[in-house]
């Protein structure tokens, strides 16, 4: 099976992104011949092109936004232009919540005309088809703008992406019902020093324990999370729960078939 995620960034939170302590390029995913870019934050295009070997935006089938905040969408327009050869070749899709297109749109109206298909994602809906992938959305997250998680199915593998938002009762169960093999979680905060709409590390642990993916991947780290040493935290969780836990870093490329097989063997 050919399924992989390349992390073009692993940073989150305004401070980390503004200083680029970690990059904010989002995730480049490949499922067979289908390629999608999820949450292209600032620097996404540069990170994609400068990766070795480079990712080619002209081969992208879709750009998908979990929500419109800048750290997830900063490069969406430049990527649309790259995907469509500057708008001269109408192709590809953009999938994002409705508010990414309306009232303070982050997808600019002129760039939107370059793509073949625009899908305004609703919560708990799908399948939306992108090439060989089926995409479903999670329930709506508690976040300042319309935000949902993504559930991707390709052949025998299920990948879930839990983006930014506040932990609440019922969220883990919503993800668990999709039975993801791989769960990517944005964990911005280490502890609860401020009351904000973002996961803390204890929230992430709780969700992983309830969803029980074969492989859990953490990313979108804020300053305090970085100070707390994500690889160490992932290793602890791996021992505690007996599953595979990985702290993403900029440029990390994961072959999902290999990871899921290794988790099953471990
Ligand atoms: Zn956000
Ligand atoms: Zn974010």
């Amino acid at each position: 099976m050919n399924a992989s995620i390349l992390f073009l960034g692993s940073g989150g939170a305004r401070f980390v992104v503004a200083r680029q302590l970690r990059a904010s390029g989002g995730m480049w995913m490949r499922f067979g011949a289908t390629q999608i870019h999820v949450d292209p934050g600032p620097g996404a295009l540069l990170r994609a092109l400068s990766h070795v070997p480079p990712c080619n935006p002209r081969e992208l089938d879709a750009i998908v936004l979990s929500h419109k905040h800048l750290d997830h969408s900063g490069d969406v327009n430049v990527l649309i232009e790259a995907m469509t050869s500057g708008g001269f070749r109408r192709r590809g899709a953009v999938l994002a919540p409705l508010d990414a297109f309306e009232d303070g749109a982050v997808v600019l109206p002129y760039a939107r005309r370059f793509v073949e298909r625009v899908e305004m994602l609703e919560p708990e809906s799908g399948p939306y088809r992108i090439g060989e992938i089926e995409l479903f959305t999670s329930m709506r997250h508690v976040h300042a703008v319309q935000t949902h998680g993504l559930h991707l199915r390709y052949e025998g593998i299920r990948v879930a992406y839990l983006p930014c938002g506040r932990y609440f009762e019922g969220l883990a169960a919503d993800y668990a019902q999709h039975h993801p093999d791989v769960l990517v979680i944005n964990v911005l905060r280490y502890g609860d020093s401020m009351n904000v709409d973002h996961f803390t590390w204890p929230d992430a642990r709780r969700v992983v324990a309830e969803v029980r993916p074969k492989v859990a991947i953490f990313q979108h780290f804020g300053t305090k999370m970085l100070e707390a040493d994500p690889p160490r935290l992932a290793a602890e969780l791996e021992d505690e729960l007996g599953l595979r836990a990985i702290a993403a870093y900029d440029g990390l490329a994961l072959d999902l078939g290999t990871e899921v097989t290794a988790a099953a063997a471990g």
Side-chain angles (χ1 to χ4, degrees):
M1 183 198 333
N2 168 23
S4 65
I5 303 179
L6 169 64
F7 290 84
L8 295 172
S10 56
R14 267 163 259 186
F15 189 70
V16 168
V17 172
R19 296 182 68 192
Q20 290 289 294
L21 298 176
R22 290 279 187 111
S24 47
M27 294 175 277
W28 192 288
M29 301 186 183
R30 289 168 210 264
F31 296 92
T34 304
Q35 299 184 53
I36 62 173
H37 197 145
V38 177
D39 282 356
L45 180 62
L46 176 67
R47 292 278 164 178
L49 295 176
S50 57
H51 186 75
V52 182
C55 304
N56 184 351
R58 278 170 303 173
E59 293 173 359
L60 274 179
D61 295 284
I63 301 165
V64 186
L65 306 184
S66 66
H67 66 296
K68 73 176 188 179
H69 278 155
L70 186 79
D71 52 336
H72 300 257
S73 70
D75 265 13
V76 65
N77 295 295
V78 74
L79 263 162
I80 290 173
E81 287 206 348
M83 177 170 76
T84 59
S85 303
F88 287 102
R89 219 179 125 222
R90 195 159 174 271
R91 60 178 295 280
V94 174
L95 300 90
L98 177 69
D99 69 355
F101 302 99
E102 287 186 343
D103 190 30
V106 294
V107 179
L108 296 173
Y110 91 90
R112 188 175 151 172
R113 289 198 295 272
F114 297 161
V115 301
E116 212 160 46
R117 179 163 69 109
V118 166
E119 292 272 12
M120 295 170 195
L121 299 176
E122 304 274 348
E124 295 175 82
S125 59
Y128 302 90
R129 284 174 210 286
I130 310 167
E132 296 149 89
I133 308 171
E134 282 187 338
L135 165 72
F136 298 79
T137 55
S138 76
M139 68 197 300
R140 190 173 168 165
H141 280 215
V142 177
H143 206 45
V145 297
Q146 287 173 22
T147 306
H148 348 98
L150 308 173
H151 293 278
L152 302 157
R153 292 188 196 165
Y154 165 72
E155 291 189 355
I157 196 161
R158 292 166 174 233
V159 177
Y161 167 43
L162 191 159
C164 302
R166 177 189 295 262
Y167 177 83
F168 62 93
E169 198 61 44
L171 185 64
D174 183 65
Y175 279 76
Q177 68 175 356
H178 287 269
H179 303 290
D181 299 296
V182 177
L183 174 62
V184 180
I185 299 190
N186 287 3
V187 48
L188 217 97
R189 307 188 61 78
Y190 179 59
D192 238 341
S193 54
M194 282 198 299
N195 192 24
V196 290
D197 288 343
H198 281 289
F199 261 42
T200 60
W201 177 245
D203 295 333
R205 287 171 53 141
R206 186 156 40 168
V207 167
V208 171
E210 193 171 332
V211 177
R212 299 225 51 110
K214 297 186 179 87
V215 182
I217 307 167
F218 306 99
Q219 64 148 9
H220 213 60
F221 304 127
T223 318
K224 289 287 189 305
M225 258 310 280
L226 288 173
E227 283 169 14
D229 190 5
R232 178 183 65 88
L233 295 172
E236 281 174 13
L237 191 71
E238 188 162 293
D239 289 344
E240 187 187 319
L241 298 179
L243 43 78
R244 206 161 162 77
I246 298 168
Y249 53 85
D250 298 347
L252 171 67
L254 289 177
D255 181 90
L256 300 181
T258 306
E259 295 302 330
V260 168
T261 308

